[in-house]
Amino acid sequence: MISTKNLILIGGGGHCKSVIDVAESAGYSIIGILDTKENVGKQILDYFILGTDDDISKFIDKALFVVTVGQIKNAELRIKLHDKVYNAGGRFATIIASTAHVSKYASIDEGTVIMHNVVVNADAKIGRGCIINTFSNIEHDAVIGNYCHISTGAMVNGNCEVGDGAFLGSNSVMVNGVSIANGCIIAAGAMVRKDITVKGVYSDNPAKLKIKL
Ligand SMILES: CC(C)(COP(=O)(O)OP(=O)(O)OC[C@H]1O[C@@H](n2cnc3c(N)ncnc32)[C@H](O)[C@@H]1OP(=O)(O)O)[C@@H](O)C(=O)NCCC(=O)NCCS
């Protein structure tokens, strides 16, 4: 029987450090970290890198997993690592920082981490494998797809929709009721005021297409 409070983290970079702090605050026991071969044996904060992602199967009956690789330009690596866990028969934790407020009327899928000081309001829906980063705000009735990164301080207002694999930069804002397409990158500080239907990199206020992806 897996203890649902034991965790294996996959990815040992900067984002991993932030997730360690969040997971500890939420009462998890971290068994260790999986990273690349050259980093095995190194220590991240109080925890050791025990192996690589080829060792996932060794832990499936001991712990839940969370992918702690960061995500700026696209979600590819994070999706690949999630698939590796699913294919090995592993299960994911859904982690909510002690300082976050998540409405009892909101839903959050597995593998998603809600970082410190986030607010997720009533009837919001967040998909699997997302990073909802420090001080971001997911307002009522907003829908966040799978494998999204909502960066520090980003503001997703009521009834907005964020497509799968999208990235919202720090302090970006989606005004009420707008949507962005799958895989879009919204630059730090951008203001999304109309629906974005073409996959691309967008910046400025109002958000403009910089690069089509
Ligand atoms: C959008 C982003 C991903 C583009 O990164 P990049 O591909 O390395 O691109 P560059 O920095 O070379 O910028 C490309 C162009 O976009 C513009 N640009 C980049 N970021 C911008 C921003 N936040 N606002 C306005 N314009 C921006 C640049 O001026 C440049 O324009 P130019 O070609 O006319 O000179 C990046 O700038 C960004 O905003 N990252 C988000 C960082 C963040 O929020 N991290 C949070 C982690 S929790």
Side-chain angles (χ1 to χ4, degrees):
M1 182 66 174
I2 310 174
S3 162
T4 53
K5 281 293 183 185
N6 287 346
L7 269 190
I8 287 285
L9 312 181
I10 307 179
H15 179 60
C16 176
K17 291 183 180 173
S18 301
V19 174
I20 286 172
D21 198 79
V22 165
E24 287 180 343
S25 83
Y28 285 92
S29 300
I30 298 167
I31 294 180
I33 301 161
L34 304 180
D35 198 79
T36 51
K37 209 167 164 185
E38 58 274 22
N39 288 332
V40 174
K42 289 185 185 162
Q43 192 172 347
I44 310 289
L45 303 180
D46 287 344
Y47 306 97
F48 284 95
I49 297 176
L50 304 175
T52 72
D53 55 20
D54 290 330
D55 297 312
I56 286 169
S57 58
K58 293 182 189 161
F59 297 99
I60 57 168
D61 56 355
K62 295 184 178 63
L64 300 179
F65 294 85
V66 64
V67 173
T68 48
V69 171
Q71 171 179 336
I72 300 277
K73 290 207 169 154
N74 70 63
E76 235 167 75
L77 177 58
R78 287 178 49 83
I79 293 172
K80 193 177 128 210
L81 292 169
H82 278 85
D83 286 346
K84 245 182 146 165
V85 172
Y86 282 122
N87 292 338
R91 289 168 49 202
F92 288 96
T94 304
I95 302 176
I96 299 172
S98 59
T99 54
H101 172 75
V102 176
S103 164
K104 68 175 183 177
Y105 302 106
S107 71
I108 299 167
D109 283 353
E110 62 186 14
T112 285
V113 182
I114 309 289
M115 309 288 280
H116 281 302
N117 292 298
V118 166
V119 174
V120 180
N121 236 321
D123 256 350
K125 291 183 178 53
I126 300 178
R128 65 173 177 271
C130 293
I131 304 167
I132 309 297
N133 224 325
T134 316
F135 274 113
S136 60
N137 188 8
I138 314 296
E139 262 307 314
H140 65 87
D141 300 292
V143 179
I144 312 289
N146 298 322
Y147 307 116
C148 293
H149 180 181
I150 310 300
S151 295
T152 46
M155 188 65 68
V156 178
N157 280 306
N159 297 297
C160 286
E161 278 188 45
V162 178
D164 291 343
F167 168 82
L168 263 63
S170 288
N171 275 350
S172 60
V173 176
M174 292 178 74
V175 304
N176 296 59
V178 294
S179 64
I180 66 171
N182 293 354
C184 280
I185 296 173
I186 309 298
M191 169 83 74
V192 179
R193 290 164 58 188
K194 289 187 183 146
D195 290 350
I196 289 179
T197 55
V198 174
K199 182 176 172 183
V201 181
Y202 292 79
S203 66
D204 300 312
N205 177 4
K208 288 188 267 303
L209 180 64
K210 281 266 174 184
I211 305 164
K212 201 167 173 218
L213 295 171

